Amino acid sequence: MGDRSRLCSVWLGSETGILKGVSLSRKQAFNFCSTSHLSRDQEVRALCWGDAAESELLLGCVDATVKTFSVEKGAFTESRRCGDPADGCFSGLALLSGGSLVTCTESGALRVWREEGGDVPVTEVDAGKNVCRMRQSPANPHKVAAGGKENGLKIWDLQRPERPVFTAKNLRDDSLDLRRPYWIRDMAFIPDSDKVVTCTGYHQVHVFDPSSPQRRPVLEAEYGEYPLTALSLTADGTAVVVGNTQGQIALLDLRKGLVRGCLKGLAGSVRGLQCHASQPLVASCGLDRFLRIHSLEDRKLQHKVYLKSRLNCLLLASRDLQDGGAAGEAESQEVKEEEDDEGDDVWDSMEQVEEMKKRKTEEGDKQTKKRKKRQD
């Protein structure tokens, strides 16, 4: 199993509790499961790396357990209980520089757990109700942001968790002086700045700047008519990729708030998005059970892999996605890879109606000629 896991450059968590690894270089997909019996209690809701070398994966499951998967060994090595299932599903996982684990649930329980284990968290913060997402700052790992439905953006410094370092203010009332609802679905820290970009369930993209005295968004943009569910920043931080419940994905410019272009090919709600750290690629997954890799340069589909289960989250390795690793040959499950302009094999094997008509006409003419010869 270790040979298989070292091949994978894309990792995905499914609703059935299976961890799926995909090797794009060899066009192979693998399933990794800790038990022989699958249930929805093991559904994977969050993924993050367990170390800087990307040799371990941390999986947040619905039953409030965090599992550790070793990429080198290709097996699950540890499982620990982090909270109560009654707190709701995990809305985010993160790892601090000292090895401590950070978890956040839908009920707003933001906790820090010791590396060596333990049932009691070191730190616990109330992030508010209905938390949809918690994200960690790549530049400052001790800073995290969280938000949700009727729960505005808040940023905490876990070294001083008494109160948030930034609390966003609600949007201004509309032209009729009616309150505008807010529903944060995902967020990300913009590199080389203090800014945070969010997407909402009301198809809005907002940029907040904690360094400015203004607590309302410094940039507002909209995309489509359906709720946005996920976002990811490009490597340079000048644009953001957003996806919605209808499978529509767009690339928005954060400097002007305009849509650069759209990525096509999805057929279901987007659950996970991630741009690669060094390559101009973005990976997406969702309810249509496909992993898709698009190019951010020409926005064309590069890979499309069918994985049989509804997918909740994904995680990309920082190395080249086409790099197969140092592992040798391994028996594998071939993945189904398609391009947009290619049809299914079943449809390709079917004859066209015109060809069938021509064949029937030719056969009828032959039979008529034979009858005439017999009569003569």
Side-chain angles (χ1 to χ4, degrees), residues 2-5 7 26 28 30 327-334:
D3 292 340
R4 295 184 176 188
S5 58
L7 290 172
R26 303 197 179 197
Q28 297 170 354
F30 310 96
E329 293 292 334
E331 294 181 1
S332 61
Q333 169 191 346
E334 291 293 331

Side-chain angles (χ1 to χ4, degrees), residues 58 80 94-102 112-116 122 136:
L58 298 179
R80 59 185 296 188
L95 198 72
L96 298 180
S97 54
S100 299
L101 176 66
V102 182
V112 180
W113 307 84
R114 286 190 178 90
E115 181 182 7
E116 58 271 14
V122 180
Q136 183 183 32

Side-chain angles (χ1 to χ4, degrees), residues 90-193:
F90 287 116
S91 56
L93 287 180
L95 198 72
L96 298 180
S97 54
S100 299
L101 176 66
V102 182
T103 64
C104 186
T105 61
E106 292 175 338
S107 63
L110 178 61
R111 301 184 177 105
V112 180
W113 307 84
R114 286 190 178 90
E115 181 182 7
E116 58 271 14
D119 297 333
V120 180
V122 180
T123 306
E124 184 167 358
V125 176
D126 184 11
K129 297 180 180 180
N130 303 318
V131 176
C132 294
R133 192 77 72 196
M134 183 273 289
R135 295 286 189 187
Q136 183 183 32
S137 171
N140 302 302
H142 54 88
K143 284 189 176 181
V144 296
K149 190 168 187 179
E150 297 299 327
N151 186 356
L153 175 69
K154 299 181 184 70
I155 301 175
W156 277 272
D157 184 347
L158 295 178
Q159 295 177 344
R160 297 182 296 273
E162 294 80 16
R163 53 182 296 182
V165 296
F166 175 78
T167 302
K169 201 172 182 179
N170 193 18
L171 304 174
R172 298 185 186 277
D173 295 343
D174 60 14
S175 58
L176 299 176
D177 289 334
L178 297 176
R179 177 184 173 276
R180 296 168 65 185
Y182 51 97
W183 182 7
I184 295 178
R185 299 294 298 270
D186 202 353
M187 74 280 295
F189 288 85
I190 300 177
D192 302 325
S193 71

Side-chain angles (χ1 to χ4, degrees), residues 62-65 81-90 105 107 109 111 113:
V62 170
D63 59 356
T65 59
R81 176 78 62 177
C82 294
D84 192 335
D87 294 335
C89 302
F90 287 116
T105 61
S107 63
R111 301 184 177 105
W113 307 84

